[in-house]
Amino acid sequence: MDVMTLPALTSHSLADQAYRALRAAIIGGDLRWGAKITERGLAASLGVSPTPVREALRRLEQEQLVERTGPRSLRVATVSPKARTESGIIEAALEGVAARFAAEKATERQLAELERLLDTADEAAFLLRADRDAGRTLNPVQVERIFDAVRTFHAGVEAAADNAQLARALEQVRAFSRNERLSIASAQLAVSSPGQLRRYGQHREILAAVRDGDPERAEQLARTHAASAAADLAGWDA
Amino acid sequence: MDVMTLPALTSHSLADQAYRALRAAIIGGDLRWGAKITERGLAASLGVSPTPVREALRRLEQEQLVERTGPRSLRVATVSPKARTESGIIEAALEGVAARFAAEKATERQLAELERLLDTADEAAFLLRADRDAGRTLNPVQVERIFDAVRTFHAGVEAAADNAQLARALEQVRAFSRNERLSIASAQLAVSSPGQLRRYGQHREILAAVRDGDPERAEQLARTHAASAAADLAGWDA
DNA sequence: TCTTTCTATATGCTATAGCAAATGGGACGA
DNA sequence: TCGTCCCATTTGCTATAGCATATAGAAAGA
């Protein structure tokens, strides 16, 4: 038998589903930081027995998305400013490494895709600037569009780096240092804050370095870029 | 009540014990790569029911120390050369970050401890060199001593960096890219291979940069140092 | 000798029951 | 009003049973 499509090894066990659901709920903000959780309570909410929920909680605990307050009590992890700063440092370093290897290994097709994404983002940014200059409220569709394009750009750089372990490490650290709420807020500010605007422009510079095959410069730019974004985020919750 | 000592929150649940035992067995080589494992089998070996073992296996699976070969079968993860190389890249980058922050934040006491460790290692290295020059077999006690000192040195740099997330990320990636067997072999070669000898000398350079408070240089040296070691390890299993 | 088919067994997954211990609120006392 | 003690309830942890399905080896055929 020849392999035509990947076997889709997605285990659909209840434990897996519970894990994904809880993780998404925590990162997405539906389960707020510090919220008390119980195995039986979550099991009832999800409509399953406590066993698979327990398994999911263990995995989340390993990711530090769930923490213990005592021997018999759990809660959604609270992220201290210090922890957020620490994660930001790591994230920046890893993004730098991703850009470095993207510069070494990116294919022409990948480069074209990255360029297309930035064009899309620029287009949305242009429309948003028009909104702002005319005193209109920002079009949420375009806000979402620019946000998605930028996020996909970063994902594309990681993909071009072709390092599965790196992608995995980045996903871990991101889940911890960021949540969707903050990211969306960040995107909404992207067209107004001068600092954010400058940072937005850096995407083009990173891509240029990647395209030129200049790993040193690509790493330097991407790392500074990510560190700056992380520093801003860190300043938001005093 | 005032806090005198930390409460020692070490949960002694069977699931935790099973996790630690299995993790140590995998990293230490007692459970070899690719070995088939079953919940019931391990449970019998450990003398507990399958439930806590299952929990441990899930956590190990999350760390990629255990992998699935099919919907109903597990084995100790096999580490491909590619994965090892990828992890080595990440490890090097993170060790560089650790050295950078150590250079920024290390206390005098920490610097003295790092120096003491390198003195200890040098002492052992001197004795081993004497063994070699005299044609004697290397004294295993001194081999162990130099190995421990170097390992503790790296741990000390991480501690000086004072970044819990970084330490955690490093532990993850190390468990994946390295095992004790290889490390010990590496230490045994430390006094004979020219490349290893040169690398051994880099510890002093890293410490000097840290002591001088030169983050840029410290990061550069530590990263190169770790990358070189990882590259050697990667070449050992064709 | 190699491939395929089939079936008995083994295995992972889920639910449930029960235990020992922590938790939290209320009663009592200062 | 505040702090301490106490007990009923809750909660995490473990063991066990059973189910559906994957697995591996034997048997049959090429």
Side-chain angles (χ1 to χ4, degrees), chain B residues 31-53:
Chain B
L31 280 175
R32 278 187 298 277
W33 299 339
K36 283 174 185 157
I37 52 184
T38 65
E39 294 178 1
R40 288 171 169 84
L42 291 176
S45 299
L46 296 172
V48 297
S49 83
T51 307
V53 172

Side-chain angles (χ1 to χ4, degrees), chain A residues 14 20-21 32 45 49-50 69 80 84 89 113 130 157 166 195 202 218 229:
Chain A
L14 293 182
R20 292 177 211 279
R32 279 187 296 277
S45 298
S49 84
T69 61
S80 69
R84 196 193 302 270
I89 290 165
E113 172 66 8
V157 171
L166 180 57
Q202 292 172 349

Side-chain angles (χ1 to χ4, degrees), chain A residues 19 54-55 58-59 62-64 86 89-90 93 101 162-166 168 176 219 223, chain B residues 19 54-55 58-59 62-64 82 86 89-90 97 101 163-166 168 176 219 223:
Chain A
Y19 168 72
R54 180 183 175 74
E55 218 166 86
R58 274 299 180 284
R59 293 171 65 184
Q62 178 118 345
E63 292 187 75
Q64 302 198 334
E86 291 180 351
I89 290 165
I90 299 172
F101 283 88
D162 188 33
N163 183 324
Q165 299 301 319
L166 180 57
R168 178 182 173 74
F176 194 65
E219 169 159 8
R223 185 168 177 179
Chain B
Y19 168 72
R54 182 182 175 73
E55 220 166 82
R58 275 298 181 282
R59 293 171 65 184
Q62 179 116 345
E63 291 187 76
Q64 302 199 334
K82 175 172 171 61
E86 291 180 351
I89 289 166
I90 298 172
V97 173
F101 283 88
N163 184 323
Q165 299 303 317
L166 180 57
R168 179 183 172 73
F176 195 67
E219 169 159 6
R223 184 168 176 177

Side-chain angles (χ1 to χ4, degrees), chain A residues 128-129 132 138 143 146-147 181-200 232-233 236:
Chain A
L128 288 173
R129 231 182 315 264
R132 186 196 56 185
L138 302 183
V143 170
I146 190 175
F147 173 52
R181 249 168 244 292
L182 286 178
S183 294
I184 289 172
S186 169
Q188 288 172 338
L189 288 176
V191 291
S192 46
S193 152
Q196 300 260 6
L197 253 183
R198 174 159 34 81
R199 204 150 56 225
Y200 176 76
D232 268 18
L233 251 63
W236 283 6

Side-chain angles (χ1 to χ4, degrees), chain B residues 198-219:
Chain B
R198 175 160 32 82
R199 205 151 55 226
Y200 176 76
Q202 292 173 349
H203 292 126
R204 288 279 178 198
E205 301 179 43
I206 294 171
L207 176 54
V210 170
R211 185 182 278 288
D212 293 348
D214 187 341
E216 206 63 44
R217 178 167 166 77
E219 169 159 6

